[in-house]
Amino acid sequence: MVSVSNSYARPILRTVDLSEGLRIVERLLAIADLRDLEVDFEVRISSARTLSPLLGLFPDARWWAEGDGNGSSAKGDEPSAHLPIVLRRGARSPETVDPFLDAVGDSPATVRWDFTGWPEAPEVGLDIGGARGAFVTLCVNARDLDLEEPANDHTVFVHVKQFESERAPWLAAQVGLRVIGDLVMAPY
């Protein structure tokens, strides 16, 4: 399942405890329609020490050089010669989350769970939410979905359709939290 349009996301948790972030993700997934569940990954890599295990996990990942670099997987280049790079791999099974998180170390990364839909939210007048706005993202060592704000903490975002923005605070409340930031357009 590949998203063809952008979703909108709101942060609901910021924590230094990665396991706490993962627990909130699990609680959100427990209320979602998980048919067609896939996980997408993105990481900014600046060292060969981080690159090697990630290429071992995702040998077919797409990557491209950051900044003035022009290397990429599309050109068949060697990624270690073009650091720093952004590496992306989509449509993986949930079992790849833990190995990915072990491999990223302190690199900024995102893990995005894509699924069929959110449940009905009658308290805010919303029917079942469809796939276009049904994601949860855990930003690791970053505060934003674009990985441009490195941090020593981790942020959980819930994704919704823009015209169903009231679903985000409703979802946060379902796991005992509240939104802690603005609704932002997700990068992909």
Side-chain angles (χ1 to χ4, degrees), residues 125-178:
L126 294 174
D127 289 329
I128 293 171
R132 186 170 56 88
F135 312 112
V136 175
T137 297
L138 173 61
C139 293
V140 180
N141 306 314
R143 293 242 171 129
D144 67 310
L145 296 165
D146 294 310
L147 301 177
E148 293 176 355
E149 279 185 69
N152 294 323
D153 53 22
H154 319 291
T155 304
V156 175
F157 287 83
V158 292
H159 296 247
V160 297
K161 295 174 184 171
Q162 184 179 22
F163 65 89
E164 293 182 349
S165 62
E166 59 274 12
R167 190 182 303 277
W170 182 85
L171 287 165
Q174 302 312 298
V175 294
L177 298 172
R178 60 181 180 76

Side-chain angles (χ1 to χ4, degrees), residues 42-46 50 66 84-87 107-109 146-148:
E42 183 169 309
V43 57
R44 282 188 145 68
I45 303 169
S46 57
T50 303
E66 286 202 300
I85 66 167
V86 174
L87 182 142
S107 298
D146 294 310
L147 301 177
E148 293 176 355

Side-chain angles (χ1 to χ4, degrees), residues 12-188:
I12 65 167
L13 175 72
R14 188 161 288 125
T15 179
V16 295
D17 182 356
L18 183 57
S19 62
E20 179 184 12
L22 287 166
R23 280 191 302 275
I24 292 300
V25 168
E26 288 173 11
R27 291 176 62 198
L28 288 162
L29 294 176
I31 64 171
D33 179 345
L34 297 183
R35 287 177 292 160
D36 301 321
L37 176 64
E38 295 178 347
V39 185
D40 301 329
F41 301 92
E42 183 169 309
V43 57
R44 282 188 145 68
I45 303 169
S46 57
S47 76
R49 182 176 50 87
T50 303
L51 177 63
S52 292
L54 287 167
L55 287 177
L57 184 61
F58 303 136
D60 57 345
R62 290 183 313 136
W63 66 268
W64 56 92
E66 286 202 300
D68 294 335
N70 62 2
S72 74
S73 56
K75 296 178 181 179
D77 293 330
E78 176 57 42
S80 60
H82 296 279
L83 295 171
I85 66 167
V86 174
L87 182 142
R88 182 179 290 168
R89 181 60 171 98
R92 301 300 299 178
S93 73
E95 291 77 26
T96 53
V97 172
D98 288 338
F100 175 78
L101 293 174
D102 289 343
V104 298
D106 60 2
S107 298
T110 60
V111 180
R112 186 179 81 176
W113 289 261
D114 301 5
F115 42 88
T116 301
W118 288 118
E120 181 180 18
E123 301 88 341
V124 292
L126 294 174
D127 289 329
I128 293 171
R132 186 170 56 88
F135 312 112
V136 175
T137 297
L138 173 61
C139 293
V140 180
N141 306 314
R143 293 242 171 129
D144 67 310
L145 296 165
D146 294 310
L147 301 177
E148 293 176 355
E149 279 185 69
N152 294 323
D153 53 22
H154 319 291
T155 304
V156 175
F157 287 83
V158 292
H159 296 247
V160 297
K161 295 174 184 171
Q162 184 179 22
F163 65 89
E164 293 182 349
S165 62
E166 59 274 12
R167 190 182 303 277
W170 182 85
L171 287 165
Q174 302 312 298
V175 294
L177 298 172
R178 60 181 180 76
V179 295
I180 59 170
D182 295 330
L183 190 69
V184 296
M185 187 167 54
Y188 69 97

